[in-house]
Structure formats: structure tokens, C-alpha cells
Amino acid sequence: MRKGAVARKTKETSIEVALDLDGTGVSDISTGVGFFDHMLDQLARHSLIDMTVRAEGDRHVDDHHTVEDVGIALGQALAQALGDKKGLTRYADCVLPMDETLTRVAVDVSGRPFLVFRTEFPTEKIGEFDTQLVREFFQAFAGNGGLTLHLETLYGTNSHHIAESCFKGVARALKSAVAIDPRQAGAVPSTKGAL
């Protein structure tokens, strides 16, 4: 049962998340941030990770705390679901086209969090959503999920497409990286014997 669930409550946010790595991509998302909900739906659907997210935040300030704290909680739930990481494929990558945009993603479920984010947005907003929050989400998610995550948009002109290609690319790479490799026979995929 590769599942994780986290509740996180601070003075700024109240977050509850649950995920199932062996799902079918079913999502039930409600953060109060419409574009972010759309991106999390894409993350679930294209990773085939079932995901439930409930978030309330200090949106009278802005959406930053809500987006970042959802990333923290989802990362923690992912780490919980991965457990000892036995049998994992571990490494995966994806080059994802989205109309005029092309984004490259590589992930290592290493237990050593690191984010390389080489993506620029031509606008500061997508509707009401601050494009800076795309990086903030992935920083929190990778940091708390124990992922080495490299994300680079090679080209693109539409901010919506750029953001969506990032979420879909991460989803596709994550789907492959967290898959069980039957040839691993339950071994941890590292010469160290632990991740």
C-alpha cells in the first residue's frame, strides 16, 4: 500500500493531502486558487497518482503561502508513500510538448532534495495566478519529497502553456520514477543499499 496522507496547519494555512502512488490519476482538488487546482489536476492525471488536496490559506495576503504549503504537504505525503523505496525505478525523464512550448524534466527519487528550475515566463500572471509560484511549488514539493528535480523550458511564448508543460512533464517523469521495477526484486536501487 504505497499511500501517504499529511495534515499541516499553521497560522497561514490549513492543508490536508492524501495520495496513492498506485492509483489511476483520480484527483479531488480544492485550494481556492483556480489555476493551481488545474495544475494539480494535471499532476495527478498524468502521473496516475490518485490525489486529494484540501487547502485554506491567507489568500487575502496572496496565494504564496497556500501554494507553497500544498507543495510541502504533497512532498511529505510522497516521501511517506515511497517508504523504504525498495523496487523503485528511481530515475526518469520526460520531454513534454505543449503547443509552442517544450519542457524537459528529469527526476531522481534520491532522498537528496535539489531543484534546478530553468523556466521563464513572459508574463507575471496567468489570470490571477502569480507565475513565480510555479517555482515555489516545485521547490517545496522536491524539498519535502526528497526529489532531485531538474526542470527546464527550452522554449515557449504562452505562460499558461509553459506552466502546464512543467506540471505535466513532472507528472510523466514522476510516474515512471516511482513505478516498481520487477527486476529490482524488492532491492533499493542504489549501490549504497539505502536512499
Side-chain angles (χ1 to χ4, degrees):
M1 301 294 287
R2 299 193 310 153
K3 296 181 179 181
V6 169
R8 174 184 169 83
K9 189 167 181 65
T10 70
K11 291 181 179 178
E12 298 168 340
T13 62
S14 177
I15 314 283
E16 291 183 8
V17 304
L19 54 79
D20 180 351
L21 298 183
D22 300 310
T24 59
V26 174
S27 63
D28 182 6
I29 311 290
S30 178
T31 68
V33 183
F35 182 77
F36 186 45
D37 287 358
H38 177 47
M39 293 300 99
L40 293 177
D41 283 335
Q42 299 297 332
L43 183 63
R45 175 67 185 95
H46 293 281
S47 66
L48 299 182
I49 296 173
D50 290 349
M51 194 178 297
T52 301
V53 178
R54 292 284 174 273
E56 293 180 6
D58 56 355
R59 297 195 54 235
H60 61 284
V61 176
D62 67 8
D63 296 334
H64 186 110
H65 298 139
T66 301
V67 172
E68 182 178 36
D69 286 8
V70 167
I72 290 169
L74 277 175
Q76 290 172 346
L78 175 66
Q80 189 183 105
L82 288 167
D84 59 14
K85 302 185 181 85
K86 287 183 179 176
L88 285 186
T89 299
R90 180 178 169 182
Y91 295 99
D93 58 68
C94 175
V95 178
L96 193 123
M98 177 88 187
D99 296 346
E100 87 298 343
T101 298
L102 189 69
T103 294
R104 176 172 52 201
V105 175
V107 66
D108 175 11
V109 184
S110 63
R112 295 185 312 276
F114 199 91
L115 176 69
V116 174
F117 188 83
R118 293 183 178 171
T119 293
E120 295 183 11
F121 294 93
T123 62
E124 292 182 4
K125 298 275 190 181
I126 302 168
E128 296 298 312
F129 185 81
D130 185 346
T131 53
Q132 291 183 48
L133 297 181
V134 175
R135 186 189 194 288
E136 292 303 317
F137 171 78
F138 286 118
Q139 181 71 57
F141 182 62
N144 287 273
L147 304 176
T148 301
L149 179 61
H150 291 241
L151 209 157
E152 179 178 26
T153 299
L154 303 176
Y155 46 83
T157 57
N158 180 289
S159 291
H160 187 129
H161 295 163
I162 291 168
E164 192 161 341
S165 70
C166 291
F167 278 85
K168 286 180 174 176
V170 168
R172 296 291 294 192
L174 197 58
K175 177 182 102 167
S176 298
V178 303
I180 297 298
D181 180 350
R183 295 186 304 157
Q184 287 282 358
V188 173
S190 171
T191 54
K192 297 183 182 83
L195 286 173

